[in-house]
């Protein structure tokens, strides 16, 4: 049974395990994708999402409803867990994405690898703020209001910063040969 957000919040506050499971199932695909893009291994990403859920359960009484909603709140928690992971240990670069399909030929794999390397090089030349903003807005599709709440900015400022970051990424791609 899918609960509306208001009913879900009431049940989360009451520590209803079924409500927590529903929230987890709703949010997990996007949370794990975010953590996976930021961390080197699937295990690190799984650990980050698990830790975020534990923190959410332990702090639900401090949740203040806002435009970002409960899932936006969870994204904020995962974001902090990922940042803590970086501070706590050396973390290798994550993969950009899946490779060519199994039926792809050798040329497709070479082209994919070269394109991925160019995008990674251009993306890595951005500062941390630009990278995070583009991941949240473009890769994970969060709206400007949600991202603004996470980053402490107005939605309009997020859209402006996104436009500028995309311009810098385009310039970086041209410089690395893309």
């Amino acid at each position: 049974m899918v609960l509306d957000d208001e009913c879900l919040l009431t049940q989360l506050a009451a520590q209803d395990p079924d409500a927590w499971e529903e929230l987890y199932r709703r949010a997990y695909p996007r949370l794990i994708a975010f953590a996976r893009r930021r961390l080197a291994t699937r295990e690190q990403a799984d650990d980050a999402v698990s830790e975020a859920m534990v923190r959410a359960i332990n702090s639900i009484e401090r949740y203040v409803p806002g435009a970002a909603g409960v899932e936006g709140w969870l994204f904020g928690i995962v974001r902090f867990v990922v940042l803590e992971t970086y501070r706590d240990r050396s973390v290798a670069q994550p993969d950009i994405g899946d490779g060519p399909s199994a039926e792809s030929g050798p040329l497709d794999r070479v082209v994919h690898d070269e394109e991925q390397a160019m995008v990674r090089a251009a993306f890595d030349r951005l500062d941390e703020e630009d990278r995070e903003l583009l991941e949240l807005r473009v890769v994970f599709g969060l709206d400007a209001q949600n991202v603004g709440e996470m980053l402490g900015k107005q939605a309009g400022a997020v859209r402006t910063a996104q436009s500028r970051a995309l311009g810098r990424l385009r310039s970086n791609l041209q410089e690395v040969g893309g």
Side-chain angles (χ1 to χ4, degrees), residues 21 31 33 49-50 56 68 128 132 147 169:
E21 180 180 356
L31 295 176
V49 172
S50 295
E128 180 61 30
E132 182 173 45
V147 173
L169 181 61

Side-chain angles (χ1 to χ4, degrees), residues 1-165:
M1 174 176 89
V2 176
L3 302 171
D4 65 41
D5 285 347
E6 189 174 314
C7 185
L8 180 64
L9 274 175
T10 302
Q11 292 183 349
L12 292 173
Q15 296 294 336
D16 179 342
D18 293 333
W20 282 104
E21 180 180 356
E22 180 174 333
L23 177 61
Y24 180 79
R25 288 180 188 277
R26 269 191 209 179
Y28 181 81
R30 290 177 44 184
L31 295 176
I32 195 66
F34 175 75
R36 184 66 186 98
R37 293 223 359 109
R38 306 287 295 196
L39 299 168
T41 67
R42 178 73 182 201
E43 292 77 25
Q44 287 175 330
D46 284 336
D47 290 348
V49 172
S50 295
E51 175 63 21
M53 289 303 297
V54 168
R55 290 181 186 189
I57 290 168
N58 291 332
S59 63
I60 187 66
E61 71 281 350
R62 293 190 309 262
Y63 171 74
V64 177
V70 178
E71 287 184 41
W73 176 63
L74 286 176
F75 256 98
I77 296 172
V78 169
R79 177 177 170 257
F80 284 117
V81 172
V82 167
L83 291 173
E84 287 174 357
T85 302
Y86 277 108
R87 279 193 300 263
D88 291 346
R89 60 182 162 205
S90 173
V91 179
Q93 285 287 348
D95 292 333
I96 278 184
D98 297 331
S101 66
E103 53 276 346
S104 298
L107 181 59
D108 292 328
R109 286 190 288 279
V110 169
V111 168
H112 174 269
D113 291 347
E114 287 180 9
E115 287 174 346
Q116 185 178 28
M118 284 190 297
V119 170
R120 171 56 66 197
F123 196 76
D124 286 346
R125 294 175 79 178
L126 295 172
D127 65 27
E128 180 61 30
E129 188 175 318
D130 283 350
R131 285 192 304 263
E132 182 173 45
L133 177 70
L134 291 178
E135 284 179 345
L136 292 169
R137 288 282 290 144
V138 178
V139 177
F140 298 106
L142 296 179
D143 66 29
Q145 185 71 33
N146 289 353
V147 173
E149 285 189 14
M150 276 189 256
L151 303 179
K153 295 181 178 187
Q154 296 294 320
V158 168
R159 286 188 286 276
T160 300
Q162 176 186 349
S163 177
R164 290 179 180 152

